[in-house]
Amino acid sequence: MRFSLRRRTSRGMTAPTRVGRVDLIGGGPGPADLMTVRAHRLLAEADVVVADRLGPADEVRAGLAPHVLVVDVGKRPGHHPVPQAQINALLVDHARAGRRVVRLKGGDPFVLGRGGEEVLACQAAGIPVTVTPGVSSAISVPQAAGIPVTHRGVASGLHVVNGQGPFGVSALASLADPSVTTVVLMGVAALPRLVCEALAHGVGADRPVAIVENGHTAHQRTLRSTLGAVVAEAEVARVTNPAVIVVGDVARAGLLLPTAARFAESSA
């Protein structure tokens, strides 16, 4: 615990004043036991937890001390009730009040998690801030379905894309490169547009695609398809967020798992 030594009491004596701080924590793909030891320690020391929708928020909340304030700032597709500027202000205001603030984020704070923006906001306000990494869903969710994002002789590179925007030049190049795996986060709603862009760029319609839904949970499902067929098959399967889209030869059925099923459910 950190203290300053210049708060004056009513008797004129000096007494310690608690200094607030912010710790950004990567919650990983969901299960709390996939978080780091440091992340669990910081949560145990927290006065306030500002939590996203994804990650282990519910499981973590059940284990917090009764006095800990939990602020839900989770976003859903098309529904962002707490704008990022307001989240930044929450972190700063609670820390200025002398509280230990944990910003609990799904995956890793610096992988499409806007963690850098929150660090900058704390720095601008003079608030001590640290970042504890988490397991990114870009790697861990495919892994849960038996999909290695790199595999010797199959894929030697990885490209991670935000599916909420159009494919850039580098993303289109990675999609067309058979040695690169492209992982699309937050891309379910935009899947038809993304597929059209890829096909128009000359990416083969037979390029393997997998969509892993609710990775590392009891509701995990995996759809295996191809670029040319995935839009129709995802619609039939009623694929929803949260899901990770994997494009590349590592996504083909049977690479690691001994099944050729196009759609599988996991009881993990």
Side-chain angles (χ1 to χ4, degrees):
M1 187 178 296
R2 298 178 57 183
F3 293 91
S4 66
L5 298 175
R6 292 298 178 187
R7 183 172 66 85
R8 190 164 297 277
T9 68
S10 59
R11 296 182 180 180
M13 306 272 301
T14 57
T17 299
R18 186 172 183 179
V19 176
R21 60 175 295 128
V22 174
D23 295 291
L24 274 62
I25 290 178
D33 60 358
L34 289 180
M35 295 171 60
T36 64
V37 172
R38 181 183 298 178
H40 283 286
R41 175 177 60 80
L42 292 171
L43 281 163
E45 298 171 354
D47 300 305
V48 180
V49 176
V50 181
D52 278 348
R53 176 177 69 99
L54 301 179
D58 291 340
E59 190 175 352
V60 164
R61 191 172 308 186
L64 293 173
H67 74 275
V68 178
L69 173 65
V70 179
V71 183
D72 183 3
V73 297
K75 301 179 178 69
R76 291 169 176 79
H79 182 60
H80 298 177
V82 186
Q84 187 62 48
Q86 188 174 339
I87 294 173
N88 296 348
L90 280 168
L91 302 178
V92 169
D93 290 347
H94 280 296
R96 278 180 172 160
R99 303 182 183 103
R100 293 288 300 267
V101 184
V102 164
R103 174 70 171 106
L104 180 60
K105 307 174 78 67
D108 182 274
F110 282 1
V111 180
L112 300 180
R114 306 189 75 166
E117 298 174 42
E118 294 168 357
V119 167
L120 289 172
C122 291
Q123 290 176 340
I127 301 297
V129 58
T130 67
V131 181
T132 298
V135 180
S136 173
S137 60
I139 299 170
S140 61
V141 169
Q143 172 268 317
I147 300 171
V149 292
T150 64
H151 189 67
R152 187 160 65 165
V154 179
S156 58
L158 170 65
H159 194 96
V160 181
V161 180
N162 181 353
Q164 294 178 327
F167 284 142
V169 174
S170 61
L172 290 169
S174 75
L175 285 163
D177 187 341
S179 70
V180 175
T181 301
T182 302
V183 173
V184 183
L185 303 181
M186 301 175 287
V188 171
L191 183 62
R193 172 179 57 79
L194 299 177
V195 167
C196 284
E197 290 181 21
L199 293 173
H201 187 69
V203 182
D206 60 347
R207 192 102 161 99
V209 178
I211 304 179
V212 187
E213 195 179 337
N214 292 300
H216 284 285
T217 76
H219 305 291
Q220 179 176 314
R221 302 194 303 169
T222 303
L223 170 66
R224 295 183 187 266
S225 184
T226 61
L227 196 63
V230 69
V231 172
E233 293 186 356
E235 184 176 352
V236 170
R238 297 183 179 179
V239 171
T240 61
N241 277 307
V244 172
I245 302 168
V246 184
V247 184
D249 287 340
V250 295
R252 71 174 184 263
L255 178 66
L256 293 187
L257 300 181
T259 177
R262 298 180 71 81
F263 193 91
E265 294 198 24
S266 170
S267 59

